[in-house]
Amino acid sequence: MTHKHRQAPALLSYLGMENDHTEVTMAEDIKTKLENYRTAPFDARFPNQNQTKNCWSNYLDFHRCQKSLDAKGQDTMPCDWYKRVYKSLCPMSWVQKWDDQREEGTFPGKI
Amino acid sequence: MAHPSQLGFQDAASPLMEELLHFHDHALMIVILISTMVLYIIVAMVTAQLTDKLVLDSQEIEVIWTVLPAIILILIALPSLRILYLMDEINDPHLTIKALGHQWYWSYEYTDYQDLGFDSYMIPTQDLTPGQFRLLEADHRMVIPVESPIRVLISAEDVLHSWAVPSLGVKVDAVPGRLNQATFIVSRPGVFYGQCSEICGANHSFMPVVVEAVPLDHFENWSSLMIEDA
C-alpha cells in the first residue's frame, strides 16, 4: 500500500509490521504503542554510546512526517511516535534552538 | 560516598559495580601473590651464602615459568572480558534522564512524559546543616526509581565536564554537542554522590552529582511535586 512506503523503515520494523496491513489497523497499532510509551526504546541503528544522531534523526523524522502527512491532508497522529522519542532523547535547549531555527529558516537539516 | 582514609572502592550500589569490585579484588590478589613471591626470591638470592657455578640451563623450569604466567593471564582475561561484554548488553530502559553540565552546576531533564527540568547546585559549606557532607551535597538531587534500568544521556552546554557516580560504576564525559549514553540499575535505595570529573574552570571541584534512589511510588510523587512547583 502507498501508506506503508511513506513511513520510515525503523518505525515499521519496530512495530513488526513489514507486511501488508490496512491503514486502520496500522493507526490503531501506533496508538497502542503511544499509549504504552515508557521511554525511547533501544534503536539498533544507534547501538553505541553516542546517541546524538538518534536524537537528531527522530527530530527530523517527526517534522518530515508531519510535513508530508499535512500535505496529503491526512491525520498526523502516527508522527507522534517520533515526537515522543525526540522529546525523550534531545535536551530541551537543543529542541528550542532547532525550533527557532526552523522558524527563521536557518535550520541546517532537510525537512 | 567516600570516607576518610578509605583504601578501596565505595560500596557498590549497582550490579555492574559489584562485578567490577569483585574483579578488582581478584586481579589485585594475583598481583599481590606474584609480587610477594618475587620479593621473597630476590631476598633469598641476595642473602644466600652458597653459589652453584655449574648450572647452565633447565628446560623444566623454563617451561613452568612460561606456561604458568600464560595461565594466570587467561585467568585474568576471562572475567575481564565477561564484564566488558556485560557492560554492552542491550537493555530496555524504563526511564530516560538527561544530565547536562554547565559552568558550574548540573541540570537534569525528565522529558518522557512532561517537560521537567531543574538545576542542581552544590550547597555552599556555610549553608550546610549538621550531618550533611561538605562539597558533596546539592540543592536538588537526581531522583530515580530503585531497581529500574535507567538511561542517562549526558551532554554539556559550555565546556567539557564529566558525570561520575563511583558507587554506581558510572563515569561518562559530558561533551558539548554530543549525547553520551550510560545505562545502569540501582540495586538499593539510598543517596549516591559523585563529583565532576573533567576540569571545567574555577568551580570544577564544586559541582557535585547527587543521585537519590527511591521506591517507584515515591519517585512518582516526587516527579508530580516537581512538575507542580515548576
Side-chain angles (χ1 to χ4, degrees):
Chain A
M1 306 295 294
T2 49
H3 179 77
K4 179 176 83 177
H5 292 305
R6 243 182 283 118
Q7 293 291 342
L11 176 58
L12 272 180
S13 65
Y14 176 72
L15 293 176
M17 294 172 59
E18 287 90 352
N19 308 314
D20 272 308
H21 246 84
T22 64
E23 286 196 18
V24 171
T25 326
M26 180 134 186
E28 279 169 10
D29 285 333
I30 296 180
K31 206 151 173 273
T32 323
K33 285 279 186 253
L34 279 168
E35 277 162 21
N36 297 336
Y37 183 85
R38 224 164 23 178
T39 191
F42 171 72
D43 189 336
R45 296 174 297 168
F46 314 102
N48 298 321
Q49 191 183 49
N50 188 356
Q51 295 290 301
T52 318
K53 273 281 165 63
N54 195 351
C55 147
W56 175 249
S57 176
N58 279 286
Y59 183 85
L60 283 181
D61 284 345
F62 171 70
H63 289 98
R64 286 175 184 160
C65 170
Q66 205 179 36
K67 182 176 174 185
S68 69
L69 289 187
D70 265 342
K72 304 268 183 300
Q74 287 172 10
D75 177 32
T76 57
M77 191 272 289
C79 305
D80 282 347
W81 174 263
Y82 300 118
K83 180 166 194 175
R84 292 299 296 270
V85 174
Y86 91 64
K87 276 218 168 283
S88 282
L89 298 177
C90 303
M92 299 193 287
S93 63
W94 292 14
V95 174
Q96 188 62 51
K97 185 178 83 188
W98 294 336
D99 288 345
D100 294 340
Q101 284 177 333
R102 276 188 306 114
E103 222 153 305
E104 282 174 27
T106 54
F107 183 68
K110 198 168 79 142
I111 292 183
Chain B
M1 55 157 282
H3 55 264
S5 344
Q6 177 176 332
L7 286 180
F9 292 120
Q10 295 179 29
D11 289 341
S14 81
L16 210 76
M17 189 59 205
E18 279 181 47
E19 296 281 350
L20 287 169
L21 218 145
H22 294 319
F23 173 71
H24 180 265
D25 287 345
H26 167 74
L28 189 61
M29 178 57 80
I30 293 175
V31 162
I32 286 171
L33 288 174
I34 294 172
S35 305
T36 310
M37 184 185 71
V38 168
L39 190 62
Y40 167 76
I41 293 172
I42 290 172
V43 167
M45 286 191 160
V46 162
T47 57
Q49 306 289 349
L50 305 164
T51 46
D52 183 344
K53 292 182 275 193
L54 301 174
V55 171
L56 296 171
D57 70 351
S58 164
Q59 282 306 310
E60 294 80 7
I61 198 170
E62 290 282 352
V63 169
I64 292 170
W65 67 34
T66 305
V67 168
L68 204 56
I71 293 173
I72 290 172
L73 286 174
I74 291 172
L75 285 178
I76 295 174
L78 290 178
S80 176
L81 290 171
R82 185 179 65 86
I83 295 175
L84 189 65
Y85 279 81
L86 215 77
M87 287 172 151
D88 278 348
E89 287 256 313
I90 294 170
N91 45 23
D92 179 33
H94 291 186
L95 183 64
T96 299
I97 304 172
K98 277 152 281 177
L100 302 169
H102 307 250
Q103 283 175 316
W104 286 281
Y105 62 96
W106 293 95
S107 65
Y108 299 108
E109 293 180 3
Y110 295 65
T111 52
D112 285 324
Y113 303 102
Q114 281 160 292
D115 285 350
L116 168 62
F118 56 89
D119 298 336
S120 175
Y121 279 85
M122 181 186 85
I123 295 180
T125 306
Q126 64 255 35
D127 296 343
L128 290 171
T129 57
Q132 287 189 310
F133 302 120
R134 191 180 69 93
L135 307 185
L136 287 177
E137 300 285 357
D139 54 3
H140 297 112
R141 298 170 171 170
M142 184 179 111
V143 179
I144 55 176
V146 75
E147 285 179 357
S148 288
I150 310 282
R151 173 202 274 131
V152 184
L153 294 168
I154 296 145
S155 187
E157 297 281 17
D158 36 46
V159 299
L160 292 178
H161 298 269
S162 184
W163 196 81
V165 186
S167 50
L168 303 177
V170 176
K171 183 181 294 184
V172 177
D173 281 356
V175 181
R178 183 182 164 112
L179 268 185
N180 277 333
Q181 174 176 272
T183 45
F184 55 83
I185 299 178
V186 185
S187 335
R188 56 186 165 90
V191 185
F192 310 106
Y193 298 92
Q195 294 174 290
C196 179
S197 299
E198 184 66 43
I199 187 84
C200 55
N203 288 342
H204 157 68
S205 315
F206 309 115
M207 47 181 290
V209 175
V210 189
V211 176
E212 183 176 340
V214 295
L216 185 59
D217 45 357
H218 289 244
F219 171 73
E220 287 167 350
N221 290 341
W222 170 85
S223 53
S224 309
L225 278 168
M226 289 298 285
I227 288 179
E228 275 169 27
D229 284 345

